[in-house]
Amino acid sequence: MTTEVIKINPLSFGSSELEAAAEIIRSGGLVIFPTETVYGIGADATSSECARKIYAAKGRPSDNPLIIHIADPRDAEKYAVTSPLYVRLAEQFMPGPITVIMPKKDIIPFTVTGGLDSVAVRCPSHPIAHELIRLSGVPVAAPSANISGRPSATGAEYAIADFDGRADMIIDGGESDFGLESTIVKITGDDSLLLLRPGAVTRDALLCVCERVDISDTVTRMLKENERPVCPGMKYRHYAPSKPLVLVEGTPEDRIRFFREKQRTENAVIICYDEQKELLLPGSVISTGREDDLLSQGHEIFRALRVCDSLPGDIIYANLPGTEGFGLALYNRLIRAAAHTVVRAEKT
C-alpha cells in the first residue's frame, strides 16, 4: 500500500482539503488524523471489514474494543442507547476528550466493539478530526495511531514511522494538545459512572455532572489472565517503548540518588522532571516538564518514551506519578508501559 501524507494547518484550512480523506473513509480505507488527545487511525465504524483492516494495520487483538467518533454529540442516538446522563455529559464535555460507553445499536457491528454489546462513543474537538468525520458522513472507528502496545502517536512523525505502507492517508496536523488518550466512562445508573480510563476529564470534573463516579480497579491493576478488556488501553503492557521501563518511587532526594547510581552503573536512560535534570549526570536524560506541571507531563510522556528508543541505553527509569487529579491518567499510562514494574528508591 502506498501511503499519501498531506499537511493541514488546523487553525486555517478549508473543507476541500479534507475531501480526499473523507472519500477514503467512505470507500472503506484507512486514514490517520490528529485529534486533541492523540492521533487516530480511522475507518467506517459501520463496516465489519473496515474494523478488521484497523486491527490488522495495528496488529491489535480483535477483543480490544474500538472507539467510534462522531461529529455531533446528538449523533450518538443513531449508534447507542443514550440516557439523560449521557446528555448531561455531552453538554458539559463534548466536543472534547471524553468517551462514553453505552449499549450499542445493531448498526455498529460486533467486530468494532470487540464482541461486546456496548459501544464507546466520542466527539473530538480537534477541528481537523471534527470536519473529517462530518464530511465522511459515517461514524469513524479510530483507535490510537500506533502499532499495538507501542506509545501512542502525538505527532505525525510517529504515525508515519508506524503506518507508512499500512494506511491510505496520513494527515499531518501538528502536535496533539493533550498527549494522552480520552477519559473513558461507562454509564452504570441514572446518576452514576464507572471510570475505566482516566484522561483530561478528571473524576472531580465528572462529579460536577453526576452524583457518583467509581474508579475501576483495572485503572491501576493488571488484567487477570484471559480477562476481557471492556475498553481500550486495559492490556497489562500497553504504550510501551522497546526498552524495559522501570518506575521509581521514593522521596525526591532518594530518587535523585537512585537515578545517578543507575547512570553510573547501568546503560540507563532517565525520564525526569525539569528540576531533577540539573541534578543528574550528563547523558541520556529526557525531561517532561516540572513535577507540579501535570499537563506538560501528559503532553510530553509518549514523545519521551518514543525518543528513548532512539537513544543509547538498555533500560529506562522514570518517576512513578501520583494518582490525584490528572496524575491518575499519567499513572495509568506509565504503569502499563512498565508492565507494572515499580521499585522503591531508598537510602543505602
Side-chain angles (χ1 to χ4, degrees):
M1 178 185 296
T2 300
T3 301
E4 181 181 2
V5 179
I6 63 172
K7 191 176 183 68
I8 294 179
N9 182 347
L11 301 179
S12 176
F13 69 93
S15 296
S16 61
E17 296 179 67
L18 290 170
E19 279 290 357
E23 179 56 31
I24 288 171
I25 289 177
R26 287 193 295 267
S27 302
L30 300 179
V31 175
I32 291 174
F33 59 93
T35 80
E36 72 276 19
T37 55
V38 297
Y39 273 65
I41 176 168
D44 182 355
T46 66
S47 165
S48 293
E49 179 58 29
C50 287
R52 283 190 280 269
K53 287 183 179 180
I54 291 174
Y55 286 122
K58 281 178 62 72
R60 180 186 180 105
S62 60
D63 66 346
N64 200 355
L66 306 177
I67 294 172
I68 72 166
H69 294 64
I70 55 179
D72 188 315
R74 292 170 295 185
D75 289 342
E77 295 181 3
K78 303 174 185 177
Y79 315 111
V81 179
T82 61
S83 68
L85 179 51
Y86 168 77
V87 172
R88 299 204 304 272
L89 290 167
E91 289 174 346
Q92 184 68 30
F93 301 117
M94 293 183 181
I98 188 168
T99 298
V100 183
I101 296 178
M102 297 169 284
K104 83 175 190 70
K105 291 186 175 179
D106 290 342
I107 190 173
I108 300 298
F110 284 107
T111 45
V112 169
T113 65
L116 300 173
D117 58 7
S118 58
V119 62
V121 180
R122 173 161 127 73
C123 180
S125 61
H126 194 286
I128 291 176
H130 182 271
E131 186 63 7
L132 174 61
I133 297 164
R134 189 190 70 80
L135 289 173
S136 298
V138 294
V140 176
S144 55
N146 55 294
I147 299 301
S148 187
R150 296 274 290 134
S152 298
T154 58
E157 67 270 31
Y158 304 124
I160 293 168
D162 281 3
F163 288 99
D164 188 18
R166 292 172 177 254
D168 296 283
M169 179 179 284
I170 297 174
I171 301 172
D172 180 353
E175 288 193 5
S176 297
D177 294 331
F178 292 107
L180 293 183
E181 300 86 352
S182 63
T183 299
I184 299 180
V185 296
K186 183 176 182 179
I187 294 176
T188 54
D190 292 341
D191 206 22
S192 61
L193 297 170
L194 181 64
L195 177 61
L196 292 165
R197 185 177 73 186
V201 178
T202 64
R203 180 175 182 269
D204 286 343
L206 293 166
L207 283 169
C208 295
V209 176
C210 69
E211 184 175 297
R212 179 172 178 177
V213 180
D214 295 316
I215 299 176
S216 171
D217 66 347
T218 58
V219 167
T220 56
R221 73 163 173 84
M222 277 190 198
L223 285 189
K224 298 173 184 175
E225 187 176 356
N226 298 322
E227 185 176 0
R228 192 175 195 174
V230 297
C231 77
M234 295 180 71
K235 293 292 188 179
Y236 84 98
R237 190 169 189 263
H238 209 65
Y239 320 111
S242 61
K243 297 180 176 72
L245 171 65
V246 176
L247 303 179
V248 182
E249 62 180 344
T251 68
E253 296 78 14
D254 288 343
R255 278 181 283 139
I256 289 295
R257 189 179 300 108
F258 180 94
F259 288 148
R260 288 175 63 92
E261 176 65 19
K262 294 304 180 182
Q263 286 182 292
R264 284 192 294 265
T265 61
E266 298 181 15
N267 192 16
V269 181
I270 309 296
I271 299 176
C272 67
Y273 305 130
D274 287 355
E275 57 268 42
Q276 292 176 319
K277 186 173 183 179
E278 61 190 33
L279 301 174
L280 297 177
L281 303 176
S284 297
V285 179
I286 304 168
S287 175
T288 57
R290 294 190 58 81
E291 184 169 7
D292 60 0
D293 190 349
L294 298 180
L295 290 178
S296 173
Q297 293 171 44
H299 184 268
E300 293 294 322
I301 191 59
F302 284 146
R303 178 196 63 80
L305 290 173
R306 284 187 176 255
V307 169
C308 284
D309 282 340
S310 66
L311 295 176
D314 301 320
I315 190 168
I316 306 165
Y317 291 99
N319 294 282
L320 178 70
T323 56
E324 294 299 316
F326 187 60
L328 182 62
L330 284 160
Y331 182 97
N332 170 263
R333 303 315 193 275
L334 282 171
I335 202 73
R336 279 169 169 71
H340 291 260
T341 306
V342 180
V343 299
R344 183 166 189 84
E346 296 178 333
K347 294 179 181 178
T348 56

